Amino acid sequence: MQRLQALFWLVLLCLATPVLAQTIMERLVTPGPLSNAHARLEAKCASCHSSFAKEAQNSKCLSCHKGVATDIASRTRFHGKFTPARTGTCKSCHSDHKGRANNLVQLNQATFNHAFTEFELTGAHKRAKCSSCHRGIDYRGRPRDCAGCHGPFDPHKGQLGRNCKNCHNTNAWKPVTGFNHAATKFPLTGAHRSASCASCHAGQRWHPGATCISCHARDDAHKGSRGTNCASCHTTASWGSATFDHSSTGFPLIGGHASASCAGCHGAGNVNKHPSRDCYACHARDDSHKGQNGTNCASCHNPRSWTQTSFDHDKMTRFALKGAHRTIACQACHKQPPKEVKPPVTCFGCHVQDDAHKGGNGQDCARCHTSTSWKLANFDHNTMTKFPLAGKHASAKCEVCHTSPPQELKLTGQCLSCHAKDDKHQGKLGPNCETCHSATGWTTQVRFEHDLTRFPLLGKHAQLTCVACHADKTFSAKGTTCAACHVDDHHKGSLGTPAPCQTCHNSVDWKAWRFDHDTQTKFALTGRHQGLICSACHTRPGDPAKIGNQCVDCHRRNDPHRGGFGDDCQRCHVTSGFGEILVRNRKPGG
């Protein structure tokens, strides 16, 4: 009876508070206690479970185990690479409610494939126990770099960084085989290749100097007298076999220098470390010229033999020897030591006494003469001046134009500079004679394009000689109108002044004139006016256009009415006959 009552009250309580009822029911149906890792969640079923939603359990797990969730999303580490772990349910491997002593991580260390992690086991790592790296149950948070595990055992004390695999490998910590010394500033060559690391890096000193003297100072037999650049003589192959290439100094030993002893120039004990490279510094006592030719001995001498001299005048001076200059002795030009007097490099400087022109043609002798022979002169007026010789100029002698020395008389390229006295035009046509004349024939080949002027030659004008119009031979402009040349003897100015001859006449034939009074004027010729000569009406000088076109303008003196009927004659008369009267019908009442 008491049990029934207790059950009754329990049911009544569940009906009153559904949430409490759910909690009590879950506690009543729990399969067993949680493991120690989840013990704190014993009373919080909703942390791992969702009522009536078994598929939501994975998301509950991953909401706490965020690292695993990240691995699955990025497909890294064990849960991201192992397909069952990535696609299955968490509880398939990590089942709970089996008591406090239950181990949630069901890991078989003997069969676990470490390749599914981010650290594949190679070399000695394959033989290591899991517990040597994974202390306790921390399988996921272990470091993957060498120094993360082996840092406390680093004999270099961190001086060479944390990337141990630059030198070591997983097969065996010793010997060191993976370090490429060539990647440093000191590649190992010669005997250095067989030296142990500690012979240079004693006491974990990993950054020694990269110079020979930094390690071999105690081996220097020269006690520093040759400087610190051991490599200039010694090599890494063998310290005892020294060699020195004197060419590296900028002074290669050739000829007699090759057999000289070092002390011959550098003195005993290398007291003169940097002797002068100048010949004169060593051989001044051997100078047979006593310094007169300067100190540049190499310009003539060479180290193979001091007595065998060679001097290339073409390359070593500003005056190349050509022609007759190559055969003369040096003393012919170099009469005094070069330090006192330097011979000139111009022709005139040496040959002034040979100048037959006495300076009249200037000092540029090379324009006409050559070094082959002074007497064989050659001057090309066409290419060497601005006035090529053409026509009659080519046969003229130099003196015809060059009547005075060039410095006194400078000729221009204009004709008038020589032919002013021959100008028949008295200078009125300007200085450009070549417009009409040529050097081939001054008077026989005259050319002038009159059609390019303002007065082209047409008809009878084209047949005339120049002087027919230009009688004074000045050939100045005459004007472009007919009246400029032709006096109006026929019309006496009755058709205008100056007469507009071209209105009726043309240059082909003066007498073949043509004038249409009906269309070219405002007074058409009708009746008796037709057939009259021009002078019948145009009796007085003046502009014909100003003559009136009324009858009375010409016939006023013939008016029998004496002006009684006004000036409008054509009201009654016609041009066919003055006596014919035109009768007009009058309007009624008119």
Side-chain angles (χ1 to χ4, degrees):
M1 186 64 179
Q2 291 179 350
R3 290 182 180 179
L4 290 175
Q5 289 178 349
L7 181 61
F8 171 77
W9 288 108
L10 178 61
V11 172
L12 184 63
L13 182 63
C14 291
L15 293 174
T17 56
V19 175
L20 178 61
Q22 181 180 348
T23 302
I24 294 173
M25 291 298 293
E26 289 174 346
R27 294 294 301 273
L28 289 174
V29 298
T30 179
L34 294 176
S35 64
N36 284 327
H38 290 160
R40 69 184 185 282
L41 303 175
E42 188 81 57
K44 301 177 181 178
C45 301
S47 298
C48 299
H49 302 281
S50 294
S51 299
F52 308 105
K54 185 183 296 186
E55 67 277 1
Q57 187 170 350
N58 266 19
S59 61
K60 291 283 188 176
C61 297
L62 296 178
S63 65
C64 282
H65 299 278
K66 296 185 180 346
V68 174
T70 302
D71 295 346
I72 293 175
S74 61
R75 295 197 175 192
T76 58
R77 299 179 181 260
F78 175 75
H79 288 92
K81 291 183 176 182
F82 188 53
T83 302
R86 189 176 72 252
T87 60
T89 61
C90 302
K91 70 177 183 179
S92 61
C93 295
H94 309 287
S95 179
D96 208 340
H97 290 289
K98 294 181 180 181
R100 293 287 190 263
N102 178 42
N103 186 4
L104 288 176
V105 181
Q106 299 297 324
L107 177 65
N108 187 342
Q109 296 182 356
T111 60
F112 181 73
N113 186 359
H114 218 280
F116 284 114
T117 71
E118 297 298 314
F119 190 87
E120 185 174 0
L121 299 181
T122 60
H125 288 144
K126 289 182 178 181
R127 302 186 297 272
K129 294 181 179 181
C130 300
S131 58
S132 62
C133 295
H134 302 283
R135 297 174 181 84
I137 60 172
D138 184 11
Y139 292 103
R140 187 178 178 279
R142 299 305 297 163
R144 296 194 297 272
D145 62 315
C146 304
C149 287
H150 300 283
F153 313 107
D154 180 15
H156 315 305
K157 308 301 180 184
Q159 294 184 64
L160 300 183
R162 297 175 60 86
N163 198 6
C164 308
K165 62 182 179 181
N166 283 343
C167 303
H168 303 277
N169 59 68
T170 59
N171 292 323
W173 190 257
K174 296 181 180 180
V176 176
T177 58
F179 183 72
N180 182 14
H181 216 285
T184 70
K185 296 180 179 180
F186 192 85
L188 299 182
T189 59
H192 289 146
R193 299 179 68 87
S194 58
S196 65
C197 302
S199 62
C200 295
H201 303 283
Q204 296 293 324
R205 181 170 164 262
W206 298 106
H207 299 285
T211 61
C212 304
I213 200 69
S214 61
C215 285
H216 298 284
R218 62 182 178 275
D219 305 319
D220 183 15
H222 315 298
K223 308 302 180 183
S225 64
R226 297 290 190 273
T228 60
N229 188 14
C230 309
S232 61
C233 300
H234 301 277
T235 67
T236 58
S238 174
W239 185 261
S241 57
T243 179
F244 180 73
D245 184 4
H246 213 281
S247 300
S248 62
T249 66
F251 191 86
L253 300 180
I254 56 177
H257 291 144
S259 59
S261 64
C262 301
C265 297
H266 295 278
N270 197 33
V271 293
N272 188 6
K273 294 182 180 180
H274 302 289
S276 174
R277 300 178 185 180
D278 183 59
C279 303
Y280 206 77
C282 287
H283 299 283
R285 61 183 179 275
D286 305 319
D287 182 18
S288 58
H289 315 298
K290 307 303 180 184
Q292 293 183 359
N293 290 343
T295 60
N296 188 14
C297 310
S299 60
C300 301
H301 301 275
N302 63 76
R304 291 177 176 82
S305 175
W306 186 259
T307 57
Q308 292 181 0
T309 60
S310 61
F311 183 78
D312 191 340
H313 209 284
D314 298 351
K315 296 180 179 179
M316 302 174 69
T317 70
R318 295 181 299 159
F319 190 84
L321 298 182
K322 299 179 181 179
H325 290 143
R326 300 189 69 86
T327 59
I328 61 175
C330 302
Q331 292 77 11
C333 297
H334 301 278
K335 298 178 181 179
Q336 296 180 358
K339 293 181 66 175
E340 298 179 11
V341 178
K342 291 185 178 181
V345 295
T346 62
C347 304
F348 204 77
C350 284
H351 299 284
V352 60
Q353 68 274 12
D354 304 319
D355 182 18
H357 314 298
K358 307 301 180 183
N361 289 342
Q363 299 183 7
D364 191 5
C365 310
R367 295 181 64 196
C368 303
H369 302 277
T370 66
S371 58
T372 304
S373 175
W374 185 260
K375 294 182 179 180
L376 294 176
N378 180 28
F379 184 77
D380 189 346
H381 211 286
N382 297 337
T383 59
M384 300 172 69
T385 71
K386 296 180 180 180
F387 190 82
L389 299 180
K392 295 296 182 67
H393 291 142
S395 59
K397 293 183 178 182
C398 303
E399 296 78 10
V400 174
C401 297
H402 300 280
T403 56
S404 300
Q407 61 268 30
E408 298 178 9
L409 176 64
K410 294 185 178 297
L411 299 177
T412 66
Q414 290 187 333
C415 304
L416 287 182
S417 63
C418 286
H419 299 286
K421 60 182 179 298
D422 304 320
D423 183 16
K424 302 296 184 183
H425 316 304
Q426 302 174 10
K428 294 184 178 181
L429 295 187
N432 298 326
C433 308
E434 66 275 7
T435 304
C436 304
H437 300 278
S438 69
T440 305
W442 185 259
T443 57
T444 58
Q445 295 182 6
V446 179
R447 65 183 185 280
F448 183 75
E449 188 59 60
H450 213 287
D451 292 345
L452 297 180
T453 68
R454 293 182 301 158
F455 192 83
L457 298 181
L458 305 173
K460 294 293 183 66
H461 290 142
Q463 304 170 9
L464 298 176
T465 61
C466 300
V467 294
C469 296
H470 302 281
D472 58 357
K473 296 184 180 181
T474 61
F475 295 96
S476 57
K478 304 294 291 183
T480 59
T481 63
C482 302
C485 289
H486 302 282
V487 180
D488 183 13
D489 294 327
H490 182 73
H491 303 298
K492 307 293 184 184
S494 61
L495 297 183
T497 305
C501 310
Q502 64 275 11
T503 304
C504 304
H505 302 277
N506 61 75
S507 60
V508 177
D509 187 355
W510 185 260
K511 295 181 179 180
W513 62 273
R514 181 179 180 181
F515 185 77
D516 189 344
H517 211 286
D518 296 350
T519 60
Q520 293 180 248
T521 71
K522 296 180 180 181
F523 189 82
L525 298 181
T526 59
R528 293 292 182 84
H529 290 139
Q530 294 180 347
L532 294 177
I533 62 175
C534 302
S535 58
C537 296
H538 300 284
T539 58
R540 297 186 299 275
D543 187 356
K546 295 182 180 180
I547 299 177
N549 56 9
Q550 298 294 323
C551 301
V552 295
D553 291 331
C554 286
H555 299 288
R556 186 178 296 279
R557 62 179 179 275
N558 306 119
D559 180 14
H561 312 300
R562 301 188 184 282
F565 291 104
D567 295 340
D568 194 5
C569 307
Q570 61 267 25
R571 292 176 59 197
C572 302
H573 300 278
V574 296
T575 58
S576 57
F578 199 77
E580 297 180 12
I581 303 302
L582 177 65
V583 179
R584 299 179 183 272
N585 293 327
R586 294 184 178 180
K587 295 181 181 180

